[in-house]
Amino acid sequence: MKNFFELKPDFFGLSICDDSLKIVKLKRKGKFFSLVSWGKKNLELGIIKESSLNNEKKFIDSVNELVDDIDGGKIKTNNFTFSLPETKAFFNIIQMPKMDEAELNTAVSFEAENCIPFKMQEVYSDFQVIKAESNVSDHLDILLAVIPKSIVDPYIGCFKKMNLNPISLEIESQSI
């Protein structure tokens, strides 16, 4: 699995909250990163409520205003990663027997169906192996994150209309 900061495309980050949008762009300088662009825009009440997008036009206008009024250097890429609040997301820690990565992908999807309140075809899901303190454990602890497509897809639709290319999605608490 590639480290997030080793991704090749130039991209920016967009944090979406019920009451605001925040944007940031970093640039690699050797081993370190420097902040090159940043901004925040407060949203009108009701555009987003409990993570759900309620007003597509005002959301698009707000994102465009934020990008146009950014501090630092102008953002010249359409690639970005975004985060959504966790109010509609579901997290669970599951235990799985030790297995290779290919088997784990299939097994976690199968196990997720038993512990989330959604059908797998109705959600976007991802998981992360939680590193154990020692190698004596006979199982893997897995952090499972799930968010309904009904929450994510309206945002994706807006991004397509804006000619933006989302390359990843994080739940706000995980992105921190």
Side-chain angles (χ1 to χ4, degrees):
M1 175 182 257
K2 257 194 154 313
N3 183 324
F4 177 77
F5 288 110
E6 291 176 4
L7 291 174
K8 295 293 183 206
D10 190 27
F11 65 95
F12 63 92
L14 177 66
S15 174
I16 302 169
C17 299
D18 285 0
D19 61 353
S20 68
L21 300 170
K22 295 173 206 79
I23 193 168
V24 67
K25 183 158 185 328
L26 303 175
K27 184 175 183 177
R28 182 185 289 277
K29 289 191 176 186
K31 292 182 180 179
F32 302 99
F33 291 90
S34 63
L35 181 63
V36 294
S37 305
W38 64 95
K40 178 181 178 182
K41 174 152 183 62
N42 292 326
L43 293 175
E44 286 181 34
L45 190 64
I47 293 176
I48 299 171
K49 186 174 182 183
E50 296 180 9
S51 303
S52 295
L53 181 57
N54 293 327
N55 190 320
E56 185 178 289
K57 182 184 180 336
K58 286 187 177 184
F59 175 76
I60 290 171
D61 290 346
S62 296
V63 173
N64 284 330
E65 289 169 17
L66 175 61
V67 170
D68 289 344
D69 194 34
I70 198 161
D71 292 314
K74 181 173 171 54
I75 292 181
K76 299 175 184 174
T77 180
N78 292 347
N79 297 323
F80 73 106
T81 182
F82 71 106
S83 68
L84 290 173
E86 59 273 342
T87 52
K88 300 287 181 161
F90 180 83
F91 295 94
N92 199 1
I93 295 177
I94 58 176
Q95 292 185 338
M96 302 292 297
K98 287 190 174 182
M99 57 185 78
D100 67 43
E101 191 173 334
E103 291 175 313
L104 193 58
N105 286 326
T106 304
V108 168
S109 291
F110 182 74
E111 183 62 27
E113 291 178 350
N114 297 321
C115 65
I116 63 168
F118 307 101
K119 295 178 182 172
M120 286 305 289
Q121 62 268 28
E122 297 173 348
V123 299
Y124 294 109
S125 65
D126 198 6
F127 69 90
Q128 183 175 6
V129 176
I130 300 170
K131 301 248 188 250
E133 293 297 319
S134 67
N135 284 339
V136 257
S137 180
D138 62 342
H139 67 274
L140 298 171
D141 290 325
I142 309 288
L143 174 62
L144 175 66
V146 174
I147 190 164
K149 289 180 179 179
S150 62
I151 297 297
V152 177
D153 288 348
Y155 292 101
I156 300 294
C158 287
F159 298 142
K160 284 181 181 178
K161 289 178 182 179
M162 297 164 60
N163 219 14
L164 293 175
N165 180 37
I167 57 175
S168 70
L169 161 66
E170 292 283 341
I171 307 301
E172 191 173 41
S173 59
Q174 283 186 300
S175 66
I176 292 171

